């Protein structure tokens, strides 16, 4: 079987939003001339649409969207405003009851980190990715973009900093706060956090920006100059807060070091940032 995408412009543009009709032809011998199924692709459609387009949506588009494919994803999953944008489709009633989302779920994972021991090549990569760091050393409370962050710098396995299920954003809370408790898997000097994204395209396909090679970076925040000593088995707490009420979400992380019983809570550091954080 062969498949062909046929596209024609519908000659209407609203605020640089171009409406394109796409037909998919499938046949054993080759593509036919008349598409038997079509869908409409709205290039550039966002929450800011013209009154004319809003009128069209109110008149005939409600509940007709059967698939939403997007890549409104930053190095931190929600950083480019995906929650508010997809939630807007839900609240305006544009989605069919069985609408399929690609990706279906996006997660940002977070791990506590130990003080880094950079090799010369690490310093070079750091300078390329983070031009604000002239001397090649991570700065405190600054978002650093990473490639192949050393696994031996992680003090515990990652846990979800945020989980975004795009099919369930209609009534989702736009402010989320929670504490994550980790158990240190080795001795070390706790000094920061590392974040990466897991993108679930469907129930089986996952893109991991830490384990795989992608165009997304992972993120590192150094929160202490020399770190706080923790022993294997010690409890580490990361307090997380995310506000999704704007196209540039706000984030906050507080890192606490504990002992084996969780009775000691020593502040390591905290950081807040907004959106992509550049």
């Amino acid at each position: 079987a062969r498949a062909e995408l046929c596209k024609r412009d519908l000659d209407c543009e609203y605020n640089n939003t171009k409406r394109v009709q796409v037909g998919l032809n499938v046949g054993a011998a080759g593509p036919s001339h008349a598409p038997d199924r079509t869908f409409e692709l709205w290039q550039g459609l966002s929450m800011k649409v013209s009154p004319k387009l809003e009128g069209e949506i109110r008149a005939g588009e409600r509940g007709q969207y059967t698939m939403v494919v997007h890549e409104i994803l930053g190095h931190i999953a929600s950083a480019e405003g995906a929650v508010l944008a997809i939630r807007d489709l839900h609240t305006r009633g544009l989605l069919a009851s069985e609408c399929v989302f690609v990706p279906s779920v996006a997660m940002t994972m977070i791990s506590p980190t130990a003080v880094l021991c950079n090799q010369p090549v690490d310093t070079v990569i750091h300078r390329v990715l983070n031009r604000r760091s002239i001397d090649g050393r991570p700065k405190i409370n600054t978002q650093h973009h990473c490639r192949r962050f050393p696994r031996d710098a992680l003090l515990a396995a990652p846990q979800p900093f945020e989980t975004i299920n795009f099919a369930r954003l209609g009534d989702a809370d736009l402010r989320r706060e929670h504490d994550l408790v980790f158990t240190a898997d080795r001795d070390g000097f706790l000094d920061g956090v590392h974040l990466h994204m897991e993108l679930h395209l469907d129930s089986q396909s996952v893109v991991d920006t830490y384990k795989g090679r992608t165009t997304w970076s992972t993120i590192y925040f150094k929160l202490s100059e020399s770190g706080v000593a923790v022993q294997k088995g010690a409890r580490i707490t990361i307090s997380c807060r995310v506000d999704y009420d704007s196209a540039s979400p706000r984030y906050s992380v507080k890192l606490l070091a504990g002992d084996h019983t969780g009775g000691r809570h020593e502040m390591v550091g905290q950081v807040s940032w907004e959106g992509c954080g550049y």
Side-chain angles (χ1 to χ4, degrees):
R2 296 175 60 186
E4 177 186 37
L5 280 176
C6 306
K7 173 175 83 169
R8 71 180 179 90
D9 296 349
L10 300 186
D11 297 325
C12 55
E13 294 191 16
Y14 312 109
N15 292 347
N16 297 320
T17 299
K18 189 174 183 180
R19 187 177 181 182
V20 177
Q21 190 174 58
V22 181
L24 176 64
N25 304 334
V26 181
S32 60
H33 293 290
D36 47 23
R37 296 203 174 203
T38 64
F39 63 88
E40 290 180 352
L41 172 67
W42 293 79
Q43 295 179 325
L45 182 63
S46 69
M47 291 175 292
K48 297 180 180 179
V49 297
S50 70
K52 184 178 179 181
L53 182 54
E54 280 284 7
E56 287 192 11
I57 291 173
R58 285 195 298 270
E61 298 292 335
R62 294 183 65 84
Q64 295 187 17
Y65 291 13
T66 57
M67 175 177 285
V68 175
V69 182
H70 75 91
E71 196 266 286
I72 318 173
L73 300 162
H75 307 293
I76 293 171
S78 61
E80 294 184 3
V83 169
L84 211 57
I86 302 302
R87 188 174 189 268
D88 183 66
L89 296 178
H90 282 278
T91 56
R92 284 196 284 148
L94 301 177
L95 305 174
S97 59
E98 300 300 323
C99 182
V100 175
F101 291 85
V102 182
S104 60
V105 175
M107 304 172 69
T108 302
M109 310 298 290
I110 190 169
S111 306
T113 63
V115 174
L116 296 175
C117 298
N118 287 339
Q119 301 298 318
V121 66
D122 299 323
T123 301
V124 171
I125 294 173
H126 177 72
R127 284 177 173 170
V128 171
L129 295 176
N130 304 280
R131 297 181 180 180
R132 292 169 296 182
S133 182
I134 298 174
D135 60 1
R137 298 178 181 178
K139 299 183 180 299
I140 292 179
N141 291 356
T142 300
Q143 184 178 133
H144 297 287
H145 291 235
C146 307
R147 291 285 195 275
R148 299 182 182 179
F149 189 83
R151 296 188 182 278
D152 58 7
L154 303 182
L155 285 173
Q159 296 185 34
F161 172 73
E162 62 175 355
T163 300
I164 307 167
N165 186 326
F166 293 105
R168 299 178 181 176
L169 288 181
D171 56 356
D173 191 350
L174 293 180
R175 175 176 293 178
R176 302 180 186 179
E177 296 183 68
H178 62 284
D179 291 342
L180 301 174
V181 179
F182 301 80
T183 300
D185 55 22
R186 64 179 179 84
D187 297 348
F189 287 88
L190 175 66
D191 84 326
V193 295
H194 176 263
L195 301 102
H196 72 277
M197 182 169 62
E198 286 187 7
L199 194 58
H200 296 250
L201 304 181
D202 53 34
S203 60
Q204 297 180 333
S205 304
V206 179
V207 175
D208 188 311
T209 61
Y210 185 38
K211 295 179 180 179
R213 298 180 64 180
T214 74
T215 56
W216 285 289
S217 298
T218 63
I219 301 297
Y220 167 62
F221 283 102
K222 182 178 177 64
L223 303 180
S224 170
E225 190 62 52
S226 56
V228 174
V230 294
Q231 295 180 336
K232 181 178 180 179
R235 296 185 184 179
I236 299 169
T237 301
I238 300 179
S239 296
C240 311
R241 174 171 172 167
V242 184
D243 290 294
Y244 296 121
D245 58 355
S246 72
S248 186
R250 298 182 300 278
Y251 307 95
S252 177
V253 166
K254 182 186 297 183
L255 180 62
L256 302 169
D259 55 21
H260 291 75
T261 65
R264 177 176 69 94
H265 293 91
E266 181 177 349
M267 171 71 78
V268 179
Q270 59 184 342
V271 64
S272 298
W273 71 100
E274 183 176 325
C276 293
Y278 296 114

